[in-house]
Amino acid sequence: MRENRLGMSLDRSRSAFERAKRVIPGGVNSTVRAFKGVGGTPVFFASGSGCRVRDIDGNDYIDYVMSWGPLILGHAYPAVIDAVRAAAGRGTSFGAPTEAETELAQKVRFCSSGAEATSAALRLARGYTGREKIVKFAGCYHGGNDALLVSAGSSALTIGKPDSAGVTRGTVADTLVVPYNDLDAVGAAFDAHPDDIAAIIVEPYAGNMGFVLPRPGFLAGLRELTRRRGALLIFDEVMTGFRVAPGGVQEREGILPDITTLGKILGGGLPVGAIAGPAEILDHFTPDGDVFQAGTLSGNPIAMAAGIATLRSLREPGVYPRLSAMGERLAEGLDDLFERYEVPHQTNARGAMVGFFFARDPVVDLDSAKRSDTAFYARFFHAMLERGVYLAPSQFEAGFVSLAHDHAAIDATIDAAESALQALLATA
Ligand SMILES: *Cc1c(COP(=O)(O)O)cnc(C)c1O
């Protein structure tokens, strides 16, 4: 039996990965899961409860990936599981309207993933404005959406290729890419194409090149520019929606976009995406308007049930202050620790979203994110894994806390981080 330094076996995960690789490209159904960003074998999970997950070798971890965001209430949250069971018992899909869709909606059109939402949002913005070009930011990720898979973040970065093979030049010919936090570059894009830009799409807090915050004035600047130039502002809040505040970044920062894309938490761990905005814009979707949008499983009743149960639980008093307190406790704990051990770092927390870079200088965009020490991150990741903490398997991802992360879990994480740092620095 192969064992790592702390006696934890990953034998079953290893052989499960070997078997998976024979039938699934790369052994995974979503790129980041392959651990390319940190090396080693992906851990195969068997179950989760609260803030903890168990792998198929029987190892337990405190989880900071939380299915990449949807599980803000924790794994297997009883109210959500009950709602899913009840909905499934009534039938899994009808391809016809159900009342649950209306209950969850506030002028939104539902689809089945974040990528579908951003793709429909672009089409809507183009249809609405009659313009063709889109501005996106390097390092922002908007799902596996061809037109936006240029300088994309997340797993596109993990594999070291922010641009995907198979995306034609024609498909991205109308995608203008500018650095995050660079209003001058956005202004220059409008100067170069004064009447052609349909929309700016932005992760208002970027969570797919690591966790990178907008500089003061950046989002307000985008709002002002788009308004003045007749373009729409799309906030991709698939990750930040219901996470950094009940109303996402737009509520926190007091800046209202024209179109919002949502997903992840909205589906409570089931496949959901949504495009939201004022009726004046949304009504351009078919059947009332002329911008096509459709999906066989859109507004799926089980996903709606999970979403309704999740949002209902999030509405209970004290939820968001608690999430923020946990996020801050984790970020501050790590910050103190890295400080004491003189490890160059940048740490951020907003609500239930946390991130850190092993970087000397502030990270404000993709270039500065890429200057972080990814090799050290990979070693830190594995040292934490051995100590029962599951971080994102890449420096270029954010971390997520849930309602199930309590003081004890956060403090155990900080202790594990101290032990990991001691081990790493001793062998450096
Ligand atoms: C995860 C994510 C997406 C894609 O959502 P999928 O459901 O994976 O298609 C889009 N935008 C952002 C900001 C995301 O974090």
Side-chain angles (χ1 to χ4, degrees):
M1 193 165 82
R2 264 185 294 175
E3 293 196 336
N4 71 26
R5 204 164 33 78
L6 296 183
M8 180 182 83
S9 163
L10 287 173
D11 284 355
R12 280 168 190 266
S13 276
R14 268 191 208 99
S15 57
F17 190 47
E18 289 312 313
R19 267 179 282 128
K21 278 195 286 195
R22 277 180 233 135
V23 288
I24 300 169
V28 292
N29 287 312
S30 193
T31 302
V32 71
R33 299 178 197 170
F35 273 30
K36 293 284 186 208
V38 290
T41 306
V43 178
F44 278 58
F45 288 118
S47 62
S49 174
C51 69
R52 292 187 161 73
V53 282
R54 176 164 295 174
D55 72 16
I56 58 175
D57 287 279
N59 304 302
D60 290 324
Y61 308 90
I62 302 171
D63 186 13
Y64 289 99
V65 174
M66 302 307 288
S67 190
W68 299 103
L71 305 183
I72 195 166
L73 300 171
H75 289 275
Y77 190 75
V80 175
I81 302 304
D82 289 348
V84 167
R85 282 208 179 97
R90 293 190 293 267
T92 53
S93 180
F94 304 101
T98 57
E99 285 180 321
E101 293 156 68
T102 317
E103 186 177 345
L104 190 56
Q106 273 189 18
K107 212 57 186 181
V108 309
R109 175 63 65 80
F110 290 114
C111 51
S112 299
S113 71
E116 246 185 272
T118 60
S119 140
L122 295 194
R123 196 180 310 126
L124 182 60
R126 285 168 163 156
Y128 179 81
T129 59
R131 299 173 171 190
E132 300 203 342
K133 295 199 185 297
I134 300 287
V135 173
K136 90 170 278 284
F137 296 93
C140 282
Y141 175 72
H142 306 289
N145 170 347
D146 275 19
L148 298 172
L149 271 180
V150 37
S151 291
S154 192
S155 46
L157 269 176
T158 313
I159 53 171
K161 278 189 210 155
D163 302 287
S164 169
V167 173
T168 64
R169 258 166 299 166
T171 310
V172 294
D174 287 319
T175 307
L176 308 168
V177 183
V178 294
Y180 196 74
N181 270 324
D182 188 344
L183 274 180
D184 290 343
V186 180
F190 275 101
D191 289 342
H193 308 277
D195 301 312
D196 298 334
I197 297 176
I200 296 178
I201 184 165
V202 63
E203 285 184 70
Y205 292 171
N208 284 291
M209 49 175 149
F211 189 26
V212 178
L213 291 170
R215 283 196 177 115
F218 177 61
L219 297 175
L222 297 181
R223 182 63 284 185
E224 191 276 324
L225 258 174
T226 41
R227 219 167 247 150
R228 187 153 48 82
R229 302 285 199 145
L232 299 186
L233 179 60
I234 305 172
F235 274 9
D236 181 358
E237 298 227 42
V238 168
M239 182 181 283
T240 51
F242 313 104
R243 172 161 293 284
V244 300
V249 178
Q250 49 199 273
E251 177 186 309
R252 268 192 95 106
E253 303 287 336
I255 291 165
L256 203 61
D258 300 298
I259 300 176
T260 303
T261 51
L262 296 165
K264 296 193 170 127
I265 290 173
L266 183 62
L270 274 82
V272 165
I275 310 99
E280 197 253 320
I281 296 174
L282 267 267
D283 286 343
H284 284 253
F285 273 139
T286 50
D288 289 349
D290 56 4
V291 178
F292 181 75
Q293 199 278 326
T296 302
L297 297 178
S298 288
N300 174 267
I302 305 180
M304 295 295 106
I308 291 166
T310 298
L311 298 200
R312 199 172 276 152
S313 299
L314 285 175
R315 244 186 265 138
E316 283 164 22
V319 163
Y320 281 90
R322 181 192 157 97
L323 286 167
S324 290
M326 292 306 141
E328 272 158 32
R329 192 181 179 100
L330 176 63
E332 279 164 20
L334 289 175
D335 203 58
D336 286 350
L337 193 66
F338 297 150
E339 201 69 49
R340 270 196 287 125
Y341 285 82
E342 297 178 359
V343 176
H345 66 280
Q346 307 290 329
T347 317
N348 279 318
R350 288 291 185 280
M353 204 166 159
V354 180
F356 61 92
F357 287 99
F358 291 123
R360 212 166 278 284
D361 300 316
V363 175
V364 296
D365 57 16
L366 182 57
D367 280 347
S368 45
K370 281 183 169 166
R371 282 196 289 274
S372 57
D373 189 345
T374 53
F376 189 73
Y377 183 86
R379 295 175 62 217
F380 183 69
F381 168 86
H382 283 289
M384 290 296 273
L385 193 71
E386 289 168 6
R387 288 165 179 78
V389 178
Y390 190 74
L391 300 173
S394 162
Q395 170 77 94
F396 303 117
E397 302 284 357
F400 305 112
V401 296
S402 75
L403 210 52
H405 288 79
D406 55 11
H407 286 184
I410 304 287
D411 295 349
T413 303
I414 308 292
D415 288 347
E418 175 148 27
S419 157
L421 278 188
Q422 284 169 350
L424 293 181
L425 298 175
T427 59

PDB file of all heavy atoms in Angstrom, residues 332-358:
ATOM      1  N   GLU A 332      -8.379  35.988   7.773  1.00  0.00           N
ATOM      2  CA  GLU A 332      -7.495  36.641   8.738  1.00  0.00           C
ATOM      3  C   GLU A 332      -6.538  35.633   9.370  1.00  0.00           C
ATOM      4  O   GLU A 332      -5.363  35.932   9.598  1.00  0.00           O
ATOM      5  CB  GLU A 332      -8.317  37.350   9.821  1.00  0.00           C
ATOM      6  CG  GLU A 332      -8.826  38.703   9.337  1.00  0.00           C
ATOM      7  CD  GLU A 332      -9.955  39.270  10.201  1.00  0.00           C
ATOM      8  OE1 GLU A 332     -10.103  38.824  11.366  1.00  0.00           O
ATOM      9  OE2 GLU A 332     -10.688  40.142   9.701  1.00  0.00           O
ATOM     10  N   GLY A 333      -7.043  34.443   9.637  1.00  0.00           N
ATOM     11  CA  GLY A 333      -6.190  33.400  10.212  1.00  0.00           C
ATOM     12  C   GLY A 333      -5.038  33.052   9.284  1.00  0.00           C
ATOM     13  O   GLY A 333      -3.883  32.949   9.698  1.00  0.00           O
ATOM     14  N   LEU A 334      -5.364  32.905   7.995  1.00  0.00           N
ATOM     15  CA  LEU A 334      -4.322  32.572   7.018  1.00  0.00           C
ATOM     16  C   LEU A 334      -3.363  33.746   6.859  1.00  0.00           C
ATOM     17  O   LEU A 334      -2.139  33.573   6.788  1.00  0.00           O
ATOM     18  CB  LEU A 334      -4.955  32.218   5.666  1.00  0.00           C
ATOM     19  CG  LEU A 334      -5.702  30.881   5.620  1.00  0.00           C
ATOM     20  CD1 LEU A 334      -6.390  30.701   4.270  1.00  0.00           C
ATOM     21  CD2 LEU A 334      -4.773  29.703   5.899  1.00  0.00           C
ATOM     22  N   ASP A 335      -3.931  34.947   6.815  1.00  0.00           N
ATOM     23  CA  ASP A 335      -3.126  36.145   6.663  1.00  0.00           C
ATOM     24  C   ASP A 335      -2.085  36.261   7.790  1.00  0.00           C
ATOM     25  O   ASP A 335      -0.897  36.461   7.541  1.00  0.00           O
ATOM     26  CB  ASP A 335      -4.073  37.353   6.674  1.00  0.00           C
ATOM     27  CG  ASP A 335      -3.480  38.545   5.995  1.00  0.00           C
ATOM     28  OD1 ASP A 335      -3.127  38.418   4.816  1.00  0.00           O
ATOM     29  OD2 ASP A 335      -3.350  39.602   6.648  1.00  0.00           O
ATOM     30  N   ASP A 336      -2.552  36.104   9.027  1.00  0.00           N
ATOM     31  CA  ASP A 336      -1.651  36.160  10.192  1.00  0.00           C
ATOM     32  C   ASP A 336      -0.551  35.120  10.083  1.00  0.00           C
ATOM     33  O   ASP A 336       0.618  35.383  10.343  1.00  0.00           O
ATOM     34  CB  ASP A 336      -2.431  35.876  11.483  1.00  0.00           C
ATOM     35  CG  ASP A 336      -3.301  37.048  11.882  1.00  0.00           C
ATOM     36  OD1 ASP A 336      -3.148  38.126  11.260  1.00  0.00           O
ATOM     37  OD2 ASP A 336      -4.125  36.889  12.796  1.00  0.00           O
ATOM     38  N   LEU A 337      -0.977  33.933   9.708  1.00  0.00           N
ATOM     39  CA  LEU A 337      -0.048  32.814   9.629  1.00  0.00           C
ATOM     40  C   LEU A 337       1.028  33.060   8.579  1.00  0.00           C
ATOM     41  O   LEU A 337       2.236  32.928   8.855  1.00  0.00           O
ATOM     42  CB  LEU A 337      -0.860  31.572   9.267  1.00  0.00           C
ATOM     43  CG  LEU A 337      -0.197  30.232   9.420  1.00  0.00           C
ATOM     44  CD1 LEU A 337       0.074  29.958  10.888  1.00  0.00           C
ATOM     45  CD2 LEU A 337      -1.124  29.161   8.849  1.00  0.00           C
ATOM     46  N   PHE A 338       0.614  33.450   7.364  1.00  0.00           N
ATOM     47  CA  PHE A 338       1.574  33.703   6.287  1.00  0.00           C
ATOM     48  C   PHE A 338       2.519  34.844   6.695  1.00  0.00           C
ATOM     49  O   PHE A 338       3.703  34.830   6.384  1.00  0.00           O
ATOM     50  CB  PHE A 338       0.849  34.057   4.982  1.00  0.00           C
ATOM     51  CG  PHE A 338      -0.024  32.944   4.437  1.00  0.00           C
ATOM     52  CD1 PHE A 338      -1.162  33.228   3.692  1.00  0.00           C
ATOM     53  CD2 PHE A 338       0.301  31.606   4.659  1.00  0.00           C
ATOM     54  CE1 PHE A 338      -1.962  32.214   3.175  1.00  0.00           C
ATOM     55  CE2 PHE A 338      -0.493  30.577   4.145  1.00  0.00           C
ATOM     56  CZ  PHE A 338      -1.629  30.890   3.411  1.00  0.00           C
ATOM     57  N   GLU A 339       1.949  35.826   7.397  1.00  0.00           N
ATOM     58  CA  GLU A 339       2.742  36.956   7.890  1.00  0.00           C
ATOM     59  C   GLU A 339       3.831  36.448   8.840  1.00  0.00           C
ATOM     60  O   GLU A 339       5.012  36.760   8.687  1.00  0.00           O
ATOM     61  CB  GLU A 339       1.781  37.898   8.637  1.00  0.00           C
ATOM     62  CG  GLU A 339       2.239  39.317   8.790  1.00  0.00           C
ATOM     63  CD  GLU A 339       2.254  40.064   7.469  1.00  0.00           C
ATOM     64  OE1 GLU A 339       1.238  40.004   6.749  1.00  0.00           O
ATOM     65  OE2 GLU A 339       3.288  40.682   7.187  1.00  0.00           O
ATOM     66  N   ARG A 340       3.414  35.646   9.823  1.00  0.00           N
ATOM     67  CA  ARG A 340       4.348  35.159  10.837  1.00  0.00           C
ATOM     68  C   ARG A 340       5.447  34.299  10.222  1.00  0.00           C
ATOM     69  O   ARG A 340       6.577  34.323  10.664  1.00  0.00           O
ATOM     70  CB  ARG A 340       3.595  34.336  11.892  1.00  0.00           C
ATOM     71  CG  ARG A 340       3.089  35.178  13.057  1.00  0.00           C
ATOM     72  CD  ARG A 340       2.705  34.326  14.239  1.00  0.00           C
ATOM     73  NE  ARG A 340       1.462  33.609  14.014  1.00  0.00           N
ATOM     74  CZ  ARG A 340       1.328  32.291  14.115  1.00  0.00           C
ATOM     75  NH1 ARG A 340       2.372  31.527  14.430  1.00  0.00           N
ATOM     76  NH2 ARG A 340       0.159  31.726  13.921  1.00  0.00           N
ATOM     77  N   TYR A 341       5.096  33.530   9.203  1.00  0.00           N
ATOM     78  CA  TYR A 341       6.091  32.655   8.573  1.00  0.00           C
ATOM     79  C   TYR A 341       6.785  33.330   7.392  1.00  0.00           C
ATOM     80  O   TYR A 341       7.541  32.698   6.658  1.00  0.00           O
ATOM     81  CB  TYR A 341       5.451  31.322   8.161  1.00  0.00           C
ATOM     82  CG  TYR A 341       5.216  30.421   9.349  1.00  0.00           C
ATOM     83  CD1 TYR A 341       4.095  30.585  10.158  1.00  0.00           C
ATOM     84  CD2 TYR A 341       6.147  29.440   9.707  1.00  0.00           C
ATOM     85  CE1 TYR A 341       3.885  29.786  11.278  1.00  0.00           C
ATOM     86  CE2 TYR A 341       5.944  28.634  10.822  1.00  0.00           C
ATOM     87  CZ  TYR A 341       4.812  28.816  11.607  1.00  0.00           C
ATOM     88  OH  TYR A 341       4.621  28.028  12.713  1.00  0.00           O
ATOM     89  N   GLU A 342       6.490  34.619   7.225  1.00  0.00           N
ATOM     90  CA  GLU A 342       7.127  35.424   6.178  1.00  0.00           C
ATOM     91  C   GLU A 342       6.987  34.814   4.789  1.00  0.00           C
ATOM     92  O   GLU A 342       7.929  34.756   4.002  1.00  0.00           O
ATOM     93  CB  GLU A 342       8.595  35.681   6.531  1.00  0.00           C
ATOM     94  CG  GLU A 342       8.709  36.484   7.820  1.00  0.00           C
ATOM     95  CD  GLU A 342      10.153  36.725   8.257  1.00  0.00           C
ATOM     96  OE1 GLU A 342      11.075  36.254   7.571  1.00  0.00           O
ATOM     97  OE2 GLU A 342      10.333  37.378   9.291  1.00  0.00           O
ATOM     98  N   VAL A 343       5.767  34.316   4.531  1.00  0.00           N
ATOM     99  CA  VAL A 343       5.449  33.809   3.192  1.00  0.00           C
ATOM    100  C   VAL A 343       4.729  34.927   2.441  1.00  0.00           C
ATOM    101  O   VAL A 343       3.685  35.399   2.898  1.00  0.00           O
ATOM    102  CB  VAL A 343       4.516  32.577   3.290  1.00  0.00           C
ATOM    103  CG1 VAL A 343       4.115  32.102   1.904  1.00  0.00           C
ATOM    104  CG2 VAL A 343       5.186  31.466   4.074  1.00  0.00           C
ATOM    105  N   PRO A 344       5.282  35.400   1.323  1.00  0.00           N
ATOM    106  CA  PRO A 344       4.619  36.481   0.583  1.00  0.00           C
ATOM    107  C   PRO A 344       3.199  36.062   0.197  1.00  0.00           C
ATOM    108  O   PRO A 344       3.002  34.956  -0.320  1.00  0.00           O
ATOM    109  CB  PRO A 344       5.479  36.646  -0.677  1.00  0.00           C
ATOM    110  CG  PRO A 344       6.796  36.038  -0.327  1.00  0.00           C
ATOM    111  CD  PRO A 344       6.524  34.951   0.663  1.00  0.00           C
ATOM    112  N   HIS A 345       2.238  36.928   0.456  1.00  0.00           N
ATOM    113  CA  HIS A 345       0.853  36.518   0.239  1.00  0.00           C
ATOM    114  C   HIS A 345      -0.051  37.723   0.041  1.00  0.00           C
ATOM    115  O   HIS A 345       0.291  38.840   0.433  1.00  0.00           O
ATOM    116  CB  HIS A 345       0.354  35.726   1.452  1.00  0.00           C
ATOM    117  CG  HIS A 345       0.263  36.583   2.679  1.00  0.00           C
ATOM    118  ND1 HIS A 345       1.378  36.891   3.433  1.00  0.00           N
ATOM    119  CD2 HIS A 345      -0.770  37.232   3.249  1.00  0.00           C
ATOM    120  CE1 HIS A 345       1.007  37.687   4.423  1.00  0.00           C
ATOM    121  NE2 HIS A 345      -0.283  37.914   4.336  1.00  0.00           N
ATOM    122  N   GLN A 346      -1.200  37.478  -0.564  1.00  0.00           N
ATOM    123  CA  GLN A 346      -2.284  38.456  -0.705  1.00  0.00           C
ATOM    124  C   GLN A 346      -3.562  37.714  -0.341  1.00  0.00           C
ATOM    125  O   GLN A 346      -3.828  36.660  -0.911  1.00  0.00           O
ATOM    126  CB  GLN A 346      -2.389  38.957  -2.149  1.00  0.00           C
ATOM    127  CG  GLN A 346      -1.089  39.496  -2.722  1.00  0.00           C
ATOM    128  CD  GLN A 346      -0.672  40.810  -2.101  1.00  0.00           C
ATOM    129  OE1 GLN A 346      -1.534  41.604  -1.698  1.00  0.00           O
ATOM    130  NE2 GLN A 346       0.620  41.047  -2.006  1.00  0.00           N
ATOM    131  N   THR A 347      -4.317  38.248   0.594  1.00  0.00           N
ATOM    132  CA  THR A 347      -5.519  37.546   1.055  1.00  0.00           C
ATOM    133  C   THR A 347      -6.742  38.454   0.915  1.00  0.00           C
ATOM    134  O   THR A 347      -6.650  39.655   1.162  1.00  0.00           O
ATOM    135  CB  THR A 347      -5.373  37.170   2.546  1.00  0.00           C
ATOM    136  OG1 THR A 347      -4.053  36.683   2.744  1.00  0.00           O
ATOM    137  CG2 THR A 347      -6.353  36.083   2.931  1.00  0.00           C
ATOM    138  N   ASN A 348      -7.861  37.863   0.525  1.00  0.00           N
ATOM    139  CA  ASN A 348      -9.105  38.616   0.414  1.00  0.00           C
ATOM    140  C   ASN A 348     -10.276  37.789   0.926  1.00  0.00           C
ATOM    141  O   ASN A 348     -10.284  36.572   0.774  1.00  0.00           O
ATOM    142  CB  ASN A 348      -9.418  38.945  -1.055  1.00  0.00           C
ATOM    143  CG  ASN A 348      -8.644  40.139  -1.549  1.00  0.00           C
ATOM    144  OD1 ASN A 348      -8.512  41.137  -0.840  1.00  0.00           O
ATOM    145  ND2 ASN A 348      -8.119  40.046  -2.745  1.00  0.00           N
ATOM    146  N   ALA A 349     -11.264  38.460   1.494  1.00  0.00           N
ATOM    147  CA  ALA A 349     -12.524  37.796   1.836  1.00  0.00           C
ATOM    148  C   ALA A 349     -13.660  38.767   1.587  1.00  0.00           C
ATOM    149  O   ALA A 349     -13.550  39.964   1.872  1.00  0.00           O
ATOM    150  CB  ALA A 349     -12.520  37.360   3.295  1.00  0.00           C
ATOM    151  N   ARG A 350     -14.738  38.283   1.020  1.00  0.00           N
ATOM    152  CA  ARG A 350     -15.975  39.053   0.874  1.00  0.00           C
ATOM    153  C   ARG A 350     -17.116  38.065   1.096  1.00  0.00           C
ATOM    154  O   ARG A 350     -17.310  37.154   0.282  1.00  0.00           O
ATOM    155  CB  ARG A 350     -16.116  39.655  -0.524  1.00  0.00           C
ATOM    156  CG  ARG A 350     -15.181  40.825  -0.816  1.00  0.00           C
ATOM    157  CD  ARG A 350     -15.531  42.084  -0.010  1.00  0.00           C
ATOM    158  NE  ARG A 350     -14.702  43.220  -0.385  1.00  0.00           N
ATOM    159  CZ  ARG A 350     -13.455  43.417   0.037  1.00  0.00           C
ATOM    160  NH1 ARG A 350     -12.881  42.566   0.865  1.00  0.00           N
ATOM    161  NH2 ARG A 350     -12.778  44.491  -0.353  1.00  0.00           N
ATOM    162  N   GLY A 351     -17.840  38.256   2.197  1.00  0.00           N
ATOM    163  CA  GLY A 351     -18.912  37.313   2.486  1.00  0.00           C
ATOM    164  C   GLY A 351     -18.364  35.901   2.568  1.00  0.00           C
ATOM    165  O   GLY A 351     -17.340  35.653   3.209  1.00  0.00           O
ATOM    166  N   ALA A 352     -19.013  34.971   1.876  1.00  0.00           N
ATOM    167  CA  ALA A 352     -18.629  33.561   1.952  1.00  0.00           C
ATOM    168  C   ALA A 352     -17.605  33.181   0.882  1.00  0.00           C
ATOM    169  O   ALA A 352     -17.518  32.034   0.464  1.00  0.00           O
ATOM    170  CB  ALA A 352     -19.873  32.692   1.821  1.00  0.00           C
ATOM    171  N   MET A 353     -16.846  34.179   0.439  1.00  0.00           N
ATOM    172  CA  MET A 353     -15.860  33.951  -0.617  1.00  0.00           C
ATOM    173  C   MET A 353     -14.497  34.410  -0.121  1.00  0.00           C
ATOM    174  O   MET A 353     -14.363  35.509   0.416  1.00  0.00           O
ATOM    175  CB  MET A 353     -16.281  34.762  -1.842  1.00  0.00           C
ATOM    176  CG  MET A 353     -15.760  34.263  -3.141  1.00  0.00           C
ATOM    177  SD  MET A 353     -16.695  35.071  -4.455  1.00  0.00           S
ATOM    178  CE  MET A 353     -15.551  34.860  -5.787  1.00  0.00           C
ATOM    179  N   VAL A 354     -13.509  33.531  -0.279  1.00  0.00           N
ATOM    180  CA  VAL A 354     -12.192  33.774   0.301  1.00  0.00           C
ATOM    181  C   VAL A 354     -11.139  33.428  -0.749  1.00  0.00           C
ATOM    182  O   VAL A 354     -11.358  32.539  -1.568  1.00  0.00           O
ATOM    183  CB  VAL A 354     -11.981  32.863   1.540  1.00  0.00           C
ATOM    184  CG1 VAL A 354     -10.615  33.102   2.162  1.00  0.00           C
ATOM    185  CG2 VAL A 354     -13.077  33.096   2.560  1.00  0.00           C
ATOM    186  N   GLY A 355     -10.028  34.134  -0.719  1.00  0.00           N
ATOM    187  CA  GLY A 355      -8.964  33.749  -1.639  1.00  0.00           C
ATOM    188  C   GLY A 355      -7.608  34.186  -1.127  1.00  0.00           C
ATOM    189  O   GLY A 355      -7.515  35.123  -0.332  1.00  0.00           O
ATOM    190  N   PHE A 356      -6.583  33.474  -1.536  1.00  0.00           N
ATOM    191  CA  PHE A 356      -5.220  33.925  -1.227  1.00  0.00           C
ATOM    192  C   PHE A 356      -4.286  33.564  -2.362  1.00  0.00           C
ATOM    193  O   PHE A 356      -4.463  32.564  -3.044  1.00  0.00           O
ATOM    194  CB  PHE A 356      -4.722  33.342   0.100  1.00  0.00           C
ATOM    195  CG  PHE A 356      -4.663  31.840   0.128  1.00  0.00           C
ATOM    196  CD1 PHE A 356      -3.496  31.162  -0.225  1.00  0.00           C
ATOM    197  CD2 PHE A 356      -5.764  31.100   0.520  1.00  0.00           C
ATOM    198  CE1 PHE A 356      -3.443  29.771  -0.196  1.00  0.00           C
ATOM    199  CE2 PHE A 356      -5.731  29.705   0.536  1.00  0.00           C
ATOM    200  CZ  PHE A 356      -4.565  29.044   0.182  1.00  0.00           C
ATOM    201  N   PHE A 357      -3.346  34.442  -2.594  1.00  0.00           N
ATOM    202  CA  PHE A 357      -2.285  34.208  -3.576  1.00  0.00           C
ATOM    203  C   PHE A 357      -0.954  34.175  -2.836  1.00  0.00           C
ATOM    204  O   PHE A 357      -0.752  34.955  -1.907  1.00  0.00           O
ATOM    205  CB  PHE A 357      -2.199  35.379  -4.565  1.00  0.00           C
ATOM    206  CG  PHE A 357      -3.314  35.445  -5.563  1.00  0.00           C
ATOM    207  CD1 PHE A 357      -4.385  36.300  -5.355  1.00  0.00           C
ATOM    208  CD2 PHE A 357      -3.275  34.682  -6.716  1.00  0.00           C
ATOM    209  CE1 PHE A 357      -5.402  36.387  -6.286  1.00  0.00           C
ATOM    210  CE2 PHE A 357      -4.294  34.758  -7.653  1.00  0.00           C
ATOM    211  CZ  PHE A 357      -5.357  35.614  -7.432  1.00  0.00           C
ATOM    212  N   PHE A 358      -0.061  33.310  -3.267  1.00  0.00           N
ATOM    213  CA  PHE A 358       1.314  33.409  -2.794  1.00  0.00           C
ATOM    214  C   PHE A 358       2.029  34.384  -3.724  1.00  0.00           C
ATOM    215  O   PHE A 358       2.674  33.992  -4.701  1.00  0.00           O
ATOM    216  CB  PHE A 358       1.981  32.034  -2.777  1.00  0.00           C
ATOM    217  CG  PHE A 358       1.394  31.123  -1.719  1.00  0.00           C
ATOM    218  CD1 PHE A 358       0.858  29.892  -2.049  1.00  0.00           C
ATOM    219  CD2 PHE A 358       1.369  31.526  -0.387  1.00  0.00           C
ATOM    220  CE1 PHE A 358       0.313  29.071  -1.076  1.00  0.00           C
ATOM    221  CE2 PHE A 358       0.821  30.708   0.599  1.00  0.00           C
ATOM    222  CZ  PHE A 358       0.289  29.473   0.253  1.00  0.00           C
TER     223      PHE A 358
END
